[in-house]
Coordinates of all heavy atoms in Angstrom, one line a residue:
P768 N 46.2 10.5 -17.8 CA 45.3 10.2 -16.7 C 44.4 11.4 -16.4 O 44.8 12.6 -16.6 CB 46.3 9.9 -15.6 CG 47.5 10.6 -15.9 CD 47.6 10.6 -17.4
T769 N 43.2 11.1 -15.9 CA 42.3 12.2 -15.5 C 42.0 11.9 -14.0 O 41.4 10.9 -13.7 CB 41.0 12.2 -16.3 OG1 40.4 10.9 -16.2 CG2 41.3 12.5 -17.7
W770 N 42.5 12.9 -13.2 CA 42.4 12.6 -11.7 C 41.0 13.1 -11.2 O 40.6 12.7 -10.1 CB 43.5 13.3 -11.0 CG 44.8 12.9 -11.6 CD1 45.7 13.7 -12.3 CD2 45.4 11.6 -11.5 NE1 46.8 12.9 -12.7 CE2 46.6 11.7 -12.2 CE3 45.1 10.4 -10.9 CZ2 47.5 10.6 -12.3 CZ3 45.9 9.3 -11.0 CH2 47.1 9.4 -11.7
G771 N 40.3 14.0 -11.8 CA 39.0 14.5 -11.4 C 39.2 15.4 -10.2 O 40.2 15.8 -9.8
T772 N 38.0 15.7 -9.6 CA 38.0 16.6 -8.5 C 38.2 15.8 -7.2 O 38.1 14.5 -7.3 CB 36.6 17.3 -8.4 OG1 35.6 16.2 -8.1 CG2 36.3 18.0 -9.6
P773 N 38.5 16.4 -6.1 CA 38.7 15.7 -4.8 C 37.5 14.8 -4.5 O 37.7 13.8 -3.8 CB 38.9 16.8 -3.8 CG 39.5 17.9 -4.6 CD 38.8 17.8 -5.9
G774 N 36.3 15.1 -4.9 CA 35.2 14.3 -4.5 C 34.9 13.2 -5.5 O 33.9 12.5 -5.3
S775 N 35.6 13.0 -6.6 CA 35.4 12.0 -7.6 C 36.0 10.7 -7.2 O 36.8 10.6 -6.3 CB 35.9 12.5 -8.9 OG 37.3 12.5 -9.0
G776 N 35.6 9.7 -8.0 CA 36.2 8.4 -7.8 C 35.5 7.4 -7.0 O 35.9 6.2 -6.9
A777 N 34.4 7.8 -6.3 CA 33.7 6.8 -5.5 C 33.0 5.7 -6.3 O 32.6 6.0 -7.4 CB 32.7 7.5 -4.6
V778 N 33.0 4.5 -5.8 CA 32.3 3.4 -6.5 C 31.1 3.0 -5.7 O 31.2 3.1 -4.5 CB 33.3 2.3 -6.8 CG1 34.3 2.7 -7.8 CG2 33.9 1.7 -5.6
A779 N 30.1 2.5 -6.3 CA 28.9 2.1 -5.6 C 28.7 0.6 -5.6 O 27.6 0.1 -5.9 CB 27.7 2.8 -6.3
W780 N 29.7 -0.2 -5.3 CA 29.5 -1.6 -5.2 C 28.7 -1.9 -3.9 O 29.1 -1.4 -2.8 CB 30.9 -2.3 -5.1 CG 31.8 -2.0 -6.3 CD1 31.4 -1.7 -7.6 CD2 33.2 -2.0 -6.3 NE1 32.5 -1.5 -8.3 CE2 33.6 -1.7 -7.6 CE3 34.2 -2.2 -5.3 CZ2 35.0 -1.6 -7.9 CZ3 35.5 -2.2 -5.6 CH2 35.9 -1.9 -6.9
E781 N 27.7 -2.6 -4.0 CA 26.8 -2.8 -2.8 C 27.5 -3.3 -1.6 O 28.2 -4.4 -1.7 CB 25.6 -3.7 -3.2 CG 24.6 -3.8 -2.1 CD 23.4 -4.7 -2.5 OE1 23.5 -5.9 -2.3 OE2 22.4 -4.1 -3.0
G782 N 27.4 -2.7 -0.5 CA 28.1 -3.1 0.7 C 29.5 -2.5 0.9 O 30.0 -2.5 2.1
A783 N 30.1 -2.1 -0.1 CA 31.5 -1.6 0.0 C 31.6 -0.3 0.8 O 30.7 0.5 0.7 CB 32.1 -1.3 -1.4
V784 N 32.6 -0.3 1.7 CA 32.8 0.9 2.6 C 34.1 1.6 2.2 O 35.1 0.9 2.0 CB 32.8 0.4 4.0 CG1 33.2 1.5 5.0 CG2 31.5 -0.2 4.4
N785 N 34.0 2.9 2.1 CA 35.2 3.7 1.8 C 35.9 3.3 0.5 O 37.1 3.2 0.4 CB 36.2 3.5 3.0 CG 36.9 4.8 3.4 OD1 36.7 5.9 2.8 ND2 37.8 4.8 4.3
A786 N 35.1 3.0 -0.5 CA 35.5 2.5 -1.7 C 35.6 3.6 -2.8 O 34.6 4.3 -3.0 CB 34.6 1.4 -2.2
R787 N 36.7 3.6 -3.5 CA 36.8 4.6 -4.6 C 38.0 4.1 -5.5 O 38.8 3.3 -5.2 CB 37.1 6.0 -4.1 CG 38.3 6.1 -3.2 CD 38.3 7.5 -2.5 NE 37.0 7.9 -1.9 CZ 36.7 7.6 -0.7 NH1 37.5 6.8 0.0 NH2 35.5 7.9 -0.2
R788 N 38.1 4.7 -6.7 CA 39.2 4.5 -7.6 C 40.4 5.3 -7.1 O 40.3 6.5 -6.8 CB 38.8 4.9 -9.0 CG 39.8 4.6 -10.1 CD 39.4 5.2 -11.4 NE 38.1 4.8 -11.8 CZ 37.8 3.7 -12.6 NH1 38.8 2.9 -13.0 NH2 36.6 3.5 -12.9
V789 N 41.5 4.6 -7.1 CA 42.8 5.3 -6.8 C 43.2 6.0 -8.1 O 43.4 7.3 -8.1 CB 43.9 4.4 -6.3 CG1 45.2 5.1 -6.1 CG2 43.5 3.7 -5.1
A790 N 43.4 5.3 -9.1 CA 43.8 5.8 -10.5 C 43.7 4.6 -11.4 O 44.1 3.5 -11.1 CB 45.2 6.4 -10.5
G791 N 43.3 4.9 -12.7 CA 43.3 3.9 -13.7 C 42.5 2.7 -13.3 O 41.3 2.9 -12.9
D792 N 43.0 1.5 -13.3 CA 42.3 0.3 -12.9 C 42.6 -0.2 -11.5 O 42.5 -1.4 -11.2 CB 42.4 -0.8 -13.9 CG 43.8 -1.4 -14.0 OD1 44.7 -0.9 -13.3 OD2 44.0 -2.4 -14.8

């Protein structure tokens, strides 16, 4: 697994609020 930096993982689904990847899928 690659966890990235603390600022990584955000997703840009239109309208989504507070959305990001936890881990994997």
